[in-house]
Amino acid sequence: MNDNLIIAGKSYSSRLLVGTGKYKDFAETKAAIETSGAEIITIAIRRSNIGQNPNEPSLLEILPPSKYTLLPNTAGCYTADDAVRTLRLARELLDGHSLVKLEVLGDPQSLYPNVVETLAAAKTLVAEGFQVMVYTSDDPIIAKQLEDIGCVAIMPLASLIGSGMGILNPWNLQLIMERVQVPVIVDAGVGTASDAAIAMELGCDGVLMNTAIAAAQNPVLMAAAMKQAVEAGRSAYLAGRMPKKLYSASPSSPTAGIIASVRS
Amino acid sequence: MITVSINGATRQFPQVISIAALVEEMGLTGKRIALERNGEIVPRGMFATRQLADGDRLEVVVAVGGG
């Protein structure tokens, strides 16, 4: 069965998207990302060394654009202007690449999204031809507005970035999925495999994570667990779970043919 | 003598040089970078023909790991 994730007209077989930050070195980054099976990977845009470290290895040498769909982000941006500038630089850096992850943060303690600045940046970026996957709060009204602006995927948090607190408000995720036609991808908050499975069982189109893998004791093993969890959760969603009942009075084994009691 | 700011650091050059010459001086020729001058992107293909001017503010960026 073809059950690919379609984003901005392009088809992906993996529904797990991963970040590339917080690993101890490039070897661990590469091993974890290969194990995750992710095809879309986020990168950040930062100031280059300006001669003080000329032989610094490059992330894109171990994660080449020919092998992965790179998703440059605007992590660390607190205004729409900074986010737009960052993604213009990313487009130049990646030879005209237009698929991007927009995130505009509200404060450095919570990293909660600033939706006012996010909406403004999304409008500018869409007008400039970017394909915008947007990190946002789990507010269904804002999610719909971002879709109406032209964003190609809506990426609500499940809980705060880097918190590992899991899916705190499944009801809001459902409200978003009912209102939005483009893919809904949980971005931020996943802590372990069951969180990813729950997101997928709810019907989310994908899950984006970084810290849950990179900050695990064994990141490569956690990458494998997340791959399986996203696949299992997706299959369970497609299979359609049985309804929850307090009790069923319907045993799984036949009620006929039970041997007689010796006492009566 | 011109003075420019590169990634927040002040650099001085005895005379006007091209952006390509600056990139060479920083050891970044051929590296995957993007460059912004005074808030405007300078495409890589124009590095050789664009000259630095006194007071320019440059940002030079690369891709790094991030989530």
Side-chain angles (χ1 to χ4, degrees):
Chain A
M1 182 179 67
N2 179 352
D3 179 42
N4 282 0
L5 171 62
I6 312 286
I7 300 173
K10 193 172 168 196
S11 180
Y12 303 91
S13 57
S14 172
R15 292 176 178 271
L16 174 59
L17 295 73
V18 298
T20 56
K22 296 185 177 173
Y23 289 98
K24 78 171 192 271
D25 54 32
F26 278 172
E28 188 182 74
T29 310
K30 184 170 193 277
I33 285 163
E34 283 180 355
T35 302
S36 76
E39 296 161 278
I40 301 176
I41 62 174
T42 64
I43 57 171
I45 304 298
R46 288 294 179 270
R47 284 173 162 175
S48 163
N49 86 77
I50 53 173
Q52 66 273 41
N53 189 6
N55 295 315
E56 193 173 38
S58 161
L59 179 72
L60 300 188
E61 286 164 15
I62 63 148
L63 302 170
S66 56
K67 187 171 174 189
Y68 294 99
T69 296
L70 299 179
L71 191 64
N73 72 22
T74 61
C77 291
Y78 289 85
T79 66
D81 283 350
D82 282 348
V84 169
R85 272 179 69 205
T86 298
L87 293 177
R88 286 175 183 151
L89 282 164
R91 180 156 64 178
E92 169 65 16
L93 187 76
L94 298 173
D95 306 319
H97 173 94
S98 62
L99 187 70
V100 295
K101 172 181 164 178
L102 171 65
E103 61 178 295
V104 187
L105 302 176
D107 74 47
Q109 287 75 40
S110 70
L111 305 178
Y112 201 83
N114 179 330
V115 295
V116 175
E117 293 291 312
T118 301
L119 287 163
K123 280 179 195 159
T124 303
L125 291 166
V126 169
E128 292 187 11
F130 285 93
Q131 295 172 318
V132 180
M133 300 174 66
V134 59
Y135 170 66
T136 185
S137 66
D138 61 3
D139 179 332
I141 306 304
I142 296 294
K144 180 64 182 149
Q145 289 183 5
L146 287 164
E147 179 184 46
D148 290 345
I149 286 169
C151 293
V152 299
I154 305 299
M155 305 203 291
L157 51 72
S159 47
L160 296 179
I161 291 174
S163 71
M165 290 286 284
I167 315 294
L168 295 187
N169 195 340
W171 312 108
N172 270 37
L173 294 178
Q174 290 195 342
L175 290 174
I176 291 171
M177 287 183 282
E178 284 173 12
R179 282 159 179 73
V180 162
Q181 305 300 310
V182 297
V184 175
I185 295 169
V186 160
D187 181 1
V190 166
T192 189
S194 53
D195 298 332
I198 288 168
M200 296 307 295
E201 287 173 10
L202 288 170
C204 293
D205 297 281
V207 180
L208 197 168
M209 65 181 73
N210 190 153
T211 311
I213 297 174
Q217 295 297 309
N218 182 337
V220 177
L221 188 56
M222 187 58 89
M226 291 301 187
K227 178 178 195 284
Q228 293 163 346
V230 167
E231 290 170 358
R234 178 65 180 177
S235 294
Y237 168 72
L238 293 175
R241 63 154 297 150
M242 62 163 284
K244 284 184 183 175
K245 294 171 281 191
L246 185 57
Y247 58 91
S248 74
S250 170
S252 300
S253 302
T255 50
I258 297 172
I259 60 172
S261 168
V262 294
R263 291 190 196 173
S264 56
Chain B
M1 176 77 75
I2 62 165
T3 302
V4 299
S5 163
I6 308 167
N7 289 355
T10 301
R11 290 280 182 97
Q12 292 192 316
F13 299 94
Q15 69 272 315
V16 170
I17 61 170
S18 69
I19 290 176
L22 171 71
V23 170
E24 174 74 33
E25 196 258 348
M26 295 189 294
L28 298 175
T29 302
K31 299 278 170 80
R32 197 180 268 274
I33 60 168
L35 186 144
E36 184 190 72
R37 173 163 69 168
N38 304 327
E40 299 289 331
I41 304 272
V42 181
R44 266 174 281 170
M46 303 179 83
F47 284 0
T49 54
R50 293 290 176 88
Q51 306 292 314
L52 290 181
D54 191 44
D56 274 352
R57 301 181 63 81
L58 304 177
E59 294 284 347
V60 186
V61 300
V62 293
V64 301

